[in-house]
Amino acid sequence: RSRIHKFLLCASGDLVKVFSTSTEEWVHVLQGHTNVVTGITLNPANQLQVYSSSADGTVRLWDFTDGILIKTFVIGYPIATLLVSNKHEGILFLVVPAKDNSNSECLQLVAAHVPKTLEQEVEVRELSSVLPNISPNPRAVGFGREGEYIASAEGLKLIVYFFRDQKPYRSVPLISSKGAKNTFTCVSCHPKDDCVATGHEDGKIRLWRNFNQKKEYTYTTLHWHHSVVNTLCFTPEGTTLLSGGIESVLVQWQYDRNSKYILPRLGGSITHISVSADGSLFTTSHSDNKITVIQSNLKVSAVIQGLVKGEAVHTDLVIDPRSKALVLNGKPGHLQFYSLQRDKQLYNLDIVQQEYIYQEGLDQYEVVKAAFDAHGSCLATVEERGKKLSDTEITLKFWDYNETAQSFVLNTTVMTPHDNRITSMCFFPTAETTMVVTTARDGCFKAWLLGQESDTENGPSWSCDFVGRYHDLQPTNCCFSADGSLLAVSFQEVITIWNPETWELLTTLCQPPGNIKDLCFGRLSCSRYLLATTTKNMLCCWNLLTCSLEWSTSIAVTLLKADPLSENMAVFTLQKEQTDLFVFKPCEPRPLFTQNALCVGEVQRAIFVPREEPLDNCDESSLWLNRSQLYFTINPVCHLLPTQAVIDDSVAVTPFYLLLGKHRQREQEMCGLPVTEQQGRLLHTAAHVLPPASFLCNMFVKSLLISQTGVKVETEPSEQQAESEKEEEESEEEMDSCDAQQDRRVQGLGVETVPLISKAQERELKKVRRTDYSWLSCLSDS
């Protein structure tokens, strides 16, 4: 038993993760389900095995100590809850959709009789209905008194079903008085007595007794929670009842005693409570994706923190260059540093530095922006409070990394850095200058510089160095070029290019109607390009060397991201409530990767995360992932894009190919084809989306020379064909000379000559002669 209690199992998406309660590290991942895991429970006949149910319609039996799948039971219906009991051997109790109404939320409890067989995959066909109208909440149903009965709560009704009586159910209706919130939220049955504990929306806990007698039922009330009781759990001996709710407090009630103990400040709301088989350990799961391991004396022994889930990711996704951790909103008022490689939270950084009050509707500070410098030694954050414009409070903070504390410490606080909300923020990309640029809805952008060591007694501080405007328009985005020589700031429909050293306005770029949503420079060999998306569903690419529009396409882009280690760009588009993904290089016509129906809904945030070591020997379709991985969030859980990708033939009809892929095709078609209708339409396109005039003029002149060029193509072979034919002639001459020498040798010996071989045979012999067999020497030497 001591070995068993070292492991903690939890459902995580379509996986079951096995953690160590002592080291807090995950030991195994039970992988096999194809949909969300909805329930896990130990096998009563073998405590080293665990059952898991899933919405994929299967129940799987695992050896969780070794991470081995033992057996799969195919149910055929999506499973909402899984229950097992010692008293019912060979039976799985499942909550599945009602057979007559499988498309609705009407659920029923069924008993699945598992056949005894040695096959690894078993189809379960014998299902018998136990209770109708079951709540989809898995905490609203449970076994009582060693499996003698089962209790289920739904709405204002508690149903208790005794197996020995074989009666459909015994109903205990709860009358709701005016203004009372008596709705059932959770159920837990005493392991030895006929007592059912229920939680309610009003924060009360009721202990029901005598519900199996002819006389009327009775109940007692326990009340500490001021809001909804989310979960209840009896200890194995039944001496203690544990409860949890939105207050983040674990309450320990002494059974049949009017006493309680509390463990406060556990973090997010408590959503589930579990107890080990010997009652020595309690675990609580929380709404912020955390599991707390608690000893029976109410002392916290371990905390397993996953990626903190919040209402939204305001800060975007950023990478800490120092720790390589993913940084985003965490607990209220905090930034979380999360290791993607270890799948573990490193630490939380308190940005707001104020106590958070868990009260609905209370206006409190939120961290909305975060950015790092090139080395991760400086961090800039933005806080906001106030939903109305007149009440908005904005704070800009600058942080320095402290080697002794191994964390960031506050350097400078700027109250009201702008007169309106900040829309974007970016650091200077190189270590030469420590600069931050912010844009806001007050119509200006500001450049902030870190002073010199001798500026103040406490060390260098931050101050505003420049304020820029453009025609009273509101700036929406800002970004630096890779070398820091240019700063691009978008003002609604106009992009301005500035020199960060002199703050001279170099040029402005006009573009199709619509405000700029995303703005980013190309990388490496594509650094001459500047890309932007607009609110009018346009994706535009400018060539900064010519200050002209290189290309544009009409596409509903929701997010545009650049890979810092390559020329690759990722574009997420939303069509029919599904997101598609395109990965491309601005200088190439064909996308590197496309994936239709990547996910349901809109991708909120995304980021390219550099790998610790580049992948070797990856196939051609995955080359774009060999140095970075693409992560994205949806409401707001993080998902990793699969590294194996295949480009299908449908790529040819993507907007990028329709726009850019025709350039090479036009050059080929103009050698022998007349001007197409599509090329004619190009000349009638709006001027602001046309390619440069030099390109159109060149194309027009070539179209006038079609007939002469067509004759030339028919009469003259290409250079590549000429070189190939020349090589064949030289090879044939060598073959003829060798054959002549062989004939002379044969005649000198007075032997009959060898018959001549055909041209095809000569070519095959040429291939054999050119084949390199040097690798055979390695085998002979060995």
Side-chain angles (χ1 to χ4, degrees):
R1 284 182 175 271
S2 61
R3 181 190 176 191
I4 298 173
H5 300 152
K6 292 180 180 179
F7 297 104
L8 174 65
L9 290 79
C10 71
S12 177
D14 57 359
L15 308 173
V16 177
K17 293 185 177 180
V18 183
F19 291 92
S20 170
T21 57
S22 56
T23 64
E24 304 176 11
E25 300 288 341
W26 59 270
V27 182
H28 298 299
V29 174
L30 308 182
Q31 185 173 2
H33 287 291
T34 59
N35 208 328
V36 177
V37 176
T38 56
I40 50 176
T41 182
L42 291 177
N43 183 6
N46 189 339
Q47 292 292 301
L48 298 178
Q49 298 175 357
V50 65
Y51 286 104
S52 64
S53 63
S54 171
D56 63 7
T58 64
V59 176
R60 296 174 186 260
L61 180 63
W62 310 82
D63 180 347
F64 64 85
T65 59
D66 296 325
I68 299 174
L69 176 61
I70 300 174
K71 191 165 292 190
T72 301
F73 304 99
V74 180
I75 307 300
Y77 300 94
I79 303 167
T81 308
L82 168 66
L83 298 168
V84 294
S85 171
N86 278 323
K87 197 174 184 65
H88 304 275
E89 184 179 357
I91 298 178
L92 301 174
F93 291 88
L94 311 171
V95 177
V96 298
K99 294 182 179 179
D100 56 347
N101 202 0
S102 58
N103 295 326
S104 69
E105 296 181 356
C106 184
L107 303 176
Q108 63 173 340
L109 178 68
V110 299
H113 300 267
V114 179
K116 294 183 179 180
T117 175
L118 297 178
E119 297 180 2
Q120 189 172 6
E121 183 170 320
V122 181
E123 184 177 356
V124 180
R125 299 180 180 179
E126 188 177 353
L127 300 177
S128 56
S129 179
V130 178
L131 283 176
N133 301 324
I134 301 297
S135 170
N137 181 8
R139 294 179 291 277
V141 60
F143 277 107
R145 193 155 55 83
E146 300 178 348
E148 291 288 338
Y149 61 90
I150 194 166
S152 174
E154 170 67 16
L156 296 174
K157 184 180 292 186
L158 174 65
I159 301 172
V160 181
Y161 179 87
F162 280 86
F163 292 97
R164 68 171 184 268
D165 297 336
Q166 293 295 310
K167 291 185 178 181
Y169 57 85
R170 294 179 183 271
S171 178
V172 181
L174 184 64
I175 300 175
S176 177
S177 59
K178 185 177 180 180
K181 296 181 180 179
N182 295 335
T183 304
F184 289 92
T185 57
C186 54
V187 165
S188 181
C189 301
H190 196 279
K192 296 181 179 180
D193 296 343
D194 289 338
C195 175
V196 178
T198 60
H200 301 265
E201 285 188 356
D202 56 4
K204 294 180 181 180
I205 299 172
R206 291 179 171 87
L207 301 178
W208 303 82
R209 295 180 177 87
N210 299 325
F211 45 78
N212 58 336
Q213 305 295 329
K214 293 182 179 180
K215 59 183 179 179
E216 294 183 357
Y217 60 87
T218 61
Y219 68 83
T220 57
T221 303
L222 306 174
H223 195 187
W224 181 91
H225 300 276
H226 78 274
S227 188
V228 180
V229 181
N230 288 333
T231 179
L232 293 169
C233 184
F234 275 102
T235 57
E237 296 298 326
T239 58
T240 301
L241 174 66
L242 304 173
S243 64
I246 196 174
E247 306 87 1
S248 305
V249 176
L250 177 66
V251 183
Q252 185 183 46
W253 306 88
Q254 298 299 315
Y255 184 62
D256 282 343
R257 295 181 185 179
N258 191 18
S259 61
K260 63 181 179 295
Y261 304 94
I262 64 173
L263 179 61
R265 294 183 293 275
L266 291 178
S269 303
I270 298 177
T271 58
H272 186 72
I273 298 174
S274 181
V275 183
S276 62
D278 63 351
S280 62
L281 292 177
F282 310 150
T283 57
T284 57
S285 63
H286 301 261
S287 59
D288 59 355
N289 200 27
K290 179 179 67 177
I291 296 176
T292 305
V293 181
I294 305 168
Q295 298 176 2
S296 57
N297 58 0
L298 295 187
K299 290 185 178 180
V300 176
S301 61
V303 175
I304 302 172
Q305 177 67 70
L307 188 65
V308 176
K309 296 191 299 183
E311 294 182 358
V313 180
H314 301 288
T315 61
D316 210 339
L317 304 180
V318 293
I319 294 295
D320 176 16
R322 182 180 297 272
S323 64
K324 310 302 180 184
L326 177 68
V327 180
L328 67 160
N329 292 101
K331 297 191 301 182
H334 291 66
L335 287 179
Q336 60 174 321
F337 288 68
Y338 195 84
S339 173
L340 295 168
Q341 291 76 21
R342 298 170 57 192
D343 193 17
K344 183 179 181 180
Q345 186 184 96
L346 301 181
Y347 64 94
N348 271 291
L349 181 62
D350 188 358
I351 302 298
V352 174
Q353 297 182 342
Q354 292 183 4
E355 188 67 25
Y356 184 83
I357 301 175
Y358 290 90
Q359 182 176 340
E360 186 176 357
L362 188 63
D363 192 9
Q364 303 184 74
Y365 275 106
E366 292 182 350
V367 184
V368 295
K369 301 291 179 185
F372 290 91
D373 69 344
H375 295 292
S377 57
C378 294
L379 167 66
T381 61
V382 177
E383 307 162 25
E384 287 184 3
R385 182 174 69 176
K387 298 180 180 179
K388 297 181 180 179
L389 178 60
S390 58
D391 300 333
T392 303
E393 299 179 26
I394 305 171
T395 304
L396 174 63
K397 292 181 179 179
F398 298 96
W399 307 75
D400 294 333
Y401 187 81
N402 187 286
E403 293 287 350
T404 304
Q406 291 292 296
S407 182
F408 286 89
V409 295
L410 185 61
N411 176 292
T412 305
T413 300
V414 182
M415 304 299 297
T416 316
H418 288 269
D419 296 332
N420 207 327
R421 287 188 171 91
I422 294 177
T423 56
S424 65
M425 177 172 61
C426 63
F427 261 93
F428 195 82
T430 65
E432 299 174 357
T433 306
T434 306
M435 178 194 298
V436 174
V437 174
T438 57
T439 64
R441 295 180 183 176
D442 59 0
C444 66
F445 72 92
K446 294 184 179 182
W448 308 83
L449 278 178
L450 180 64
Q452 302 298 324
E453 290 287 345
S454 59
D455 287 351
T456 62
E457 295 180 358
N458 299 325
S461 60
W462 290 78
S463 60
C464 182
D465 180 68
F466 177 77
V467 179
R469 295 177 179 272
Y470 183 79
H471 291 294
D472 294 329
L473 299 177
Q474 287 189 6
T476 54
N477 294 275
C478 65
C479 65
F480 283 98
S481 59
D483 59 357
S485 60
L486 298 176
L487 171 66
V489 182
S490 61
F491 288 85
Q492 294 178 207
E493 298 183 358
V494 180
I495 298 176
T496 59
I497 307 297
W498 304 75
N499 184 342
E501 293 185 0
T502 62
W503 294 116
E504 176 188 0
L505 178 60
L506 301 178
T507 187
T508 59
L509 303 175
C510 299
Q511 45 84 45
N515 293 340
I516 300 295
K517 293 196 304 181
D518 286 318
L519 188 68
C520 65
F521 281 91
R523 305 283 179 170
L524 303 179
S525 63
C526 295
S527 60
R528 64 183 181 276
Y529 296 114
L530 176 64
L531 287 89
T533 63
T534 74
T535 55
K536 295 295 184 179
N537 297 334
M538 293 296 295
L539 173 62
C540 308
C541 177
W542 285 270
N543 189 327
L544 297 176
L545 299 180
T546 60
C547 294
S548 60
L549 186 66
E550 185 81 4
W551 53 263
S552 65
T553 182
S554 178
I555 184 172
V557 178
T558 58
L559 203 59
L560 170 67
K561 286 295 175 181
D563 182 4
L565 300 182
S566 70
E567 299 90 346
N568 300 333
M569 298 275 185
V571 164
F572 295 89
T573 66
L574 184 64
Q575 295 181 358
K576 298 180 180 179
E577 298 183 354
Q578 288 187 334
T579 293
D580 300 333
L581 171 64
F582 299 91
V583 180
F584 68 101
K585 293 182 180 180
C587 60
E588 295 185 3
R590 185 182 178 92
L592 303 174
F593 172 76
T594 64
Q595 183 166 332
N596 297 326
L598 176 70
C599 59
V600 177
E602 182 178 350
V603 172
Q604 303 292 331
R605 310 287 180 183
I607 188 173
F608 279 95
V609 179
R611 295 181 184 270
E612 293 183 348
E613 295 182 2
L615 292 180
D616 296 328
N617 301 324
C618 56
D619 54 39
E620 184 178 356
S621 61
S622 301
L623 284 177
W624 68 278
L625 284 171
N626 66 338
R627 301 191 67 183
S628 301
Q629 289 178 290
L630 180 60
Y631 286 80
F632 60 93
T633 64
I634 310 173
N635 298 328
V637 181
C638 272
H639 297 271
L640 171 62
L641 185 71
T643 56
Q644 298 300 326
V646 177
I647 303 178
D648 54 25
D649 293 337
S650 62
V651 175
V653 297
T654 60
F656 298 105
Y657 182 75
L658 290 175
L659 176 74
L660 300 177
K662 295 298 180 70
H663 290 336
R664 297 177 184 173
Q665 183 179 352
R666 288 194 189 104
E667 294 177 1
Q668 296 175 359
E669 290 176 350
M670 287 178 182
C671 294
L673 295 177
V675 179
T676 61
E677 183 181 355
Q678 184 174 358
Q679 293 169 345
R681 285 200 301 267
L682 180 63
L683 298 178
H684 297 281
T685 310
H688 58 266
V689 297
L690 281 175
S694 58
F695 176 81
L696 294 177
C697 183
N698 187 28
M699 182 178 66
F700 178 70
V701 172
K702 285 185 178 181
S703 67
L704 300 177
L705 304 175
I706 287 176
S707 58
Q708 297 179 3
T709 309
V711 175
K712 185 176 180 179
V713 170
E714 292 177 0
T715 57
E716 296 182 9
S718 64
E719 295 181 1
Q720 184 176 2
Q721 292 175 344
E723 291 178 0
S724 176
E725 293 178 0
K726 184 177 180 180
E727 291 178 359
E728 288 185 7
E729 291 176 359
E730 292 176 355
S731 175
E732 290 174 0
E733 291 177 0
E734 293 176 0
M735 292 277 293
D736 293 338
S737 63
C738 293
D739 291 341
Q741 294 177 5
Q742 181 68 16
D743 291 341
R744 287 193 294 270
R745 294 193 192 101
V746 172
Q747 291 176 0
L749 295 174
V751 184
E752 293 183 1
T753 59
V754 180
L756 296 176
I757 60 175
S758 64
K759 291 290 184 181
Q761 292 172 332
E762 288 180 0
R763 293 190 181 93
E764 290 295 328
L765 184 58
K766 177 189 68 174
K767 293 180 181 179
V768 173
R769 288 177 176 175
R770 291 185 176 181
T771 305
D772 184 9
Y773 293 96
S774 60
W775 56 273
L776 287 173
S777 61
C778 299
L779 298 178
S780 60
D781 294 339
S782 59

